Amino acid sequence: MTSAIARLREEVATGGGLKPLRVMAASGQLGYGIPDAAFNAGLARKPHLIGADMGSIDPGPYYLGAGKMAQSETMVRVDLAKCLRGARQLGIPLLVGTAGSAGAAPHLAQTLDMVRAIAREENLHFRLASISADMPRDTVKRAIRAKRVVPLGEIGELTETDVDHATHLVGQMGIEAFQRALELGADVVIAGRACDSAVFAAVPATLGYPLGPTLHMSKIIECCSLCCTPGGRDTVIGTLEGDSFVIDSMNPTRHASPMSVAAHSLYEQADPYAVREPEGTLHTRDSRYEAVDEHRTRVLGSRWEPATQLTIKIEGAMRVGERAVLLCGSADPRVIANIKSITANVEKIVRELTPPRPDKPYQIFWRVYGIDAVFPWATPPDPLPREIFIMCECIADTAEEAKAVATVTKQYLLHHGFPGRLSTAGNTAFPFTPPEVAAATAYRFNVYHVMDVDALEPFFPVHMEDL
Amino acid sequence: MRLTDIAKVVRSKNAGPTVLTLDLLFNDEAGFRLACGSNSLKPDAIARLYAQPVEKIQVLAYPPALAIKVVLPRRIVSGDPGDSDVYGAQQHGPLLGIEL
């Protein structure tokens, strides 16, 4: 039997060049629901592949650290089944990147289990490739000693202790790893941590489409119809036509305009003109955005510069402690006016009553919503708000200690006496009890660095199986 | 004139867990040009609003989208203990009061 990529090679080949290639982006965040109408409209266009991104570093360190998915398992199964059925129905490759939200071993294993279960239940048969992205700790430590690791932003130099402390340590794969899986005959590729663009760029890159437009198109469609006006999550098709590409939302009410597509290059990027990938850099300084009609936009002039040094972006998260939070509000003007001194004094009492362990002291964080919980404003609002929401967070070594601190805090915050107090029966309102809630393990990113490597292949092994 | 009178989008978001980006998208060329020339959007003004050293602020005009992008370090790495905004999606507040 010929492989999926071999069939595509045959299909797109012309005498001299390549036919237009239709890349369907089914989801920018698999597991949050794929709208049916646009997904089915996409399938009706007979795309050459389906890609879906499943993760991101945006939701914070918990998911990577804990090895858990951010999405609900039920919804992931629904979305995965939809994509698998669509791809098998058309006999085209399906590529999924950053399995299970963070793309480490437990995320990949959980996603693969779901794929196998769906295949069994729906009697689907295909060659499945999985690509892991867990970084070998010894290799990363050697790279640290060889001064081949640099921080990405203000996170400090990476130490060998950080490498040991990270509960999971992953690297972002690029198109290279997906290409190996395709050449091994994969119909479906489920990848651990991956660059979102690689999910969509790997097939066209393997077929020989120019990398500038390929990567630029991939970067835009990875968020599906977010590049449209109004933005949304609906399936989008990017059509590569050689040196240019066209963006076309499968929802007829979401229009890809030159302005909306260009603006998407700003999204979550520090530099809209240069996007660094493991194998090189995408340059969009000379890109031109032209309307095809009121619904579609063509992009020309995007360039690719191969890297002189291969790199892998590495990510790791470590456990900080166990978290408990106290949730309450106040509608008393005097409590609100004095809230900073009230919380400071209550914390002092709590620290006396529940002394922090000298070796592993707990931490307390107050957030007063209505005053400065979201942004650290230099001055309080004037006038003060009518109500405030107060959250006291404790991170301690054990869940029991965190809960004890939150519980003692509750009682002393409720009854704290302060000068001018009128509401002597209680300072706070609890919407429910218990108002102190265990909030899972706290993690933090302790690795967000880039590592120079001599070859990408050894870091991202491909495993094949027939279903 | 207020920034919010001529901008159609004022947003903030992480670009990775250590970097915050602020995007200002304008309704038209005139508004974009006015904003590009305004001292209120120069790095030193942004540095004061976000309590960061001026050398850590980048302000970049992006004509294809009639946009100005501001890049600065996050106050704290995303999700670290004490963070207030893991996605960085609500750090645009100080821009809303800007007079150009």
Side-chain angles (χ1 to χ4, degrees):
Chain A
M1 204 177 102
T2 53
S3 68
I5 197 74
R7 285 198 301 278
L8 283 177
R9 258 195 200 106
E10 220 163 278
E11 192 178 330
V12 299
T14 61
L18 293 162
K19 289 181 196 162
L21 185 82
R22 293 178 294 281
V23 180
M24 171 163 153
S27 175
Q29 285 174 307
L30 196 104
Y32 288 102
I34 299 175
D36 267 326
F39 181 81
N40 292 332
L43 291 181
R45 299 287 183 91
K46 299 265 185 286
H48 294 96
L49 70 122
I50 299 176
D53 190 25
M54 194 175 168
S56 165
I57 199 165
D58 281 349
Y62 174 79
Y63 308 100
L64 177 60
K68 298 216 162 85
M69 292 201 302
Q71 300 93 324
S72 107
E73 198 172 317
T74 311
M75 282 305 292
V76 170
R77 280 182 68 101
V78 169
D79 286 1
L80 265 179
K82 196 177 282 186
C83 290
L84 283 167
R85 278 193 297 267
R88 296 323 302 146
Q89 183 191 320
L90 297 179
I92 56 173
L94 169 68
L95 297 88
V96 176
T98 309
S101 328
H107 308 98
L108 183 59
Q110 200 184 351
T111 310
L112 288 169
D113 281 346
M114 287 192 231
V115 170
R116 293 184 194 109
I118 294 163
R120 218 168 28 241
E121 286 157 20
E122 309 218 359
N123 196 26
L124 300 173
H125 298 281
F126 49 87
R127 282 213 95 184
L128 171 66
S130 57
I131 314 174
S132 54
D134 304 276
M135 295 291 102
R137 290 172 201 258
D138 287 350
T139 311
V140 175
K141 287 180 187 175
R142 272 202 301 280
I144 293 172
R145 290 196 288 272
K147 307 210 178 308
R148 300 187 86 188
V149 181
V150 293
L152 280 164
E154 301 193 353
I155 194 166
E157 293 294 332
L158 190 62
T159 66
E160 296 188 41
T161 313
D162 286 321
V163 172
D164 286 329
H165 282 175
T167 53
H168 296 105
L169 183 64
V170 294
Q172 288 193 13
M173 69 184 80
I175 52 181
E176 178 276 340
F178 287 92
Q179 283 183 310
R180 268 185 290 123
L182 291 165
E183 297 292 6
L184 286 168
D187 296 303
V188 174
V189 184
I190 306 290
R193 186 68 175 120
C195 294
D196 37 24
S197 49
V199 175
F200 307 96
V203 168
T206 307
L207 295 172
Y209 289 81
L211 288 175
T214 294
L215 264 299
H216 194 188
M217 185 189 83
S218 301
K219 202 76 214 158
I220 291 167
I221 64 175
E222 57 101 352
C223 289
C224 287
S225 292
L226 210 58
C227 61
C228 298
T229 308
R233 298 289 179 191
D234 299 281
T235 293
V236 72
I237 284 191
T239 303
L240 270 168
E241 21 178 50
D243 287 331
S244 62
F245 61 91
V246 172
I247 300 291
D248 185 1
S249 172
M250 293 300 104
N251 180 333
T253 68
R254 304 197 189 284
H255 305 304
S257 71
M259 200 65 85
S260 73
V261 171
H264 191 70
S265 303
L266 293 167
Y267 189 63
E268 295 175 343
Q269 288 294 328
D271 184 347
Y273 288 125
V275 181
R276 181 83 185 264
E277 300 280 322
E279 298 95 349
T281 304
L282 165 67
H283 293 285
T284 63
R285 190 169 287 277
D286 303 323
S287 300
R288 301 191 310 282
Y289 304 83
E290 296 174 356
V292 177
D293 50 37
E294 62 178 23
H295 186 68
R296 297 175 297 166
T297 284
R298 175 174 284 118
V299 183
L300 309 93
S302 313
R303 281 191 309 109
W304 175 256
E305 179 194 7
T308 48
Q309 171 66 58
L310 296 171
T311 56
I312 300 175
K313 195 189 266 193
I314 54 176
E315 303 166 351
M318 67 176 276
R319 178 183 176 275
V320 180
E322 302 301 317
R323 179 179 271 135
V325 292
L326 166 70
L327 308 169
C328 57
S330 181
D332 183 302
R334 297 196 184 185
V335 172
I336 294 170
N338 290 285
I339 191 65
K340 289 286 162 180
S341 66
I342 292 172
T343 53
N345 289 331
V346 168
E347 181 173 331
K348 198 160 157 268
I349 295 164
V350 170
R351 286 185 179 278
E352 283 162 12
L353 292 169
T354 55
R357 288 166 47 186
D359 55 331
K360 288 178 178 168
Y362 60 75
Q363 296 173 276
I364 291 177
F365 301 98
W366 293 93
R367 294 186 189 79
V368 182
Y369 290 86
I371 309 287
D372 60 0
V374 174
F375 189 86
W377 305 97
T379 54
D382 182 18
L384 286 166
R386 189 153 72 175
E387 298 187 358
I388 56 171
F389 177 76
I390 306 162
M391 183 172 77
C392 179
E393 174 192 2
C394 177
I395 301 177
D397 190 44
T398 65
E400 176 49 37
E401 190 186 10
K403 182 161 185 256
V405 172
T407 307
V408 173
T409 303
K410 173 198 69 178
Q411 208 62 7
Y412 283 84
L413 181 60
L414 179 66
H415 293 303
H416 186 69
F418 59 92
R421 185 187 192 208
L422 290 172
S423 55
T424 55
N427 299 323
T428 52
F430 304 111
F432 49 75
T433 58
E436 63 280 348
V437 182
T441 304
Y443 290 87
R444 69 176 182 85
F445 287 120
N446 68 331
V447 186
Y448 187 64
H449 293 73
V450 65
M451 175 171 72
D452 289 351
V453 297
D454 298 324
L456 297 168
E457 183 175 346
F459 293 91
F460 306 106
V462 176
H463 176 78
M464 304 294 297
E465 65 187 275
D466 288 306
L467 297 181
Chain B
M1 185 179 289
R2 273 177 176 255
L3 170 65
T4 46
D5 294 332
I6 57 168
K8 64 176 177 185
V9 172
V10 179
R11 69 186 180 192
S12 72
K13 196 76 186 276
N14 295 351
T18 60
V19 172
L20 186 69
T21 72
L22 310 168
D23 295 343
L24 314 175
L25 277 64
F26 296 90
N27 286 312
D28 53 38
E29 184 85 29
F32 172 62
R33 292 284 156 223
L34 176 70
C36 285
S38 170
N39 284 332
S40 309
L41 291 172
K42 297 282 184 267
D44 59 327
I46 303 286
R48 279 194 298 277
L49 285 177
Y50 283 85
Q52 289 276 2
V54 65
E55 62 274 13
K56 293 187 177 175
I57 312 283
Q58 292 174 59
V59 180
L60 178 81
Y62 183 62
L66 300 179
I68 293 175
K69 178 176 265 301
V70 180
V71 181
L72 65 162
R74 278 181 58 101
R75 207 164 37 81
I76 182 169
V77 173
S78 167
D80 265 16
D83 189 13
S84 65
D85 188 357
V86 170
Y87 288 69
Q90 284 293 312
Q91 299 304 301
H92 57 298
L95 300 175
L96 301 176
I98 286 182
E99 294 276 348
L100 296 173

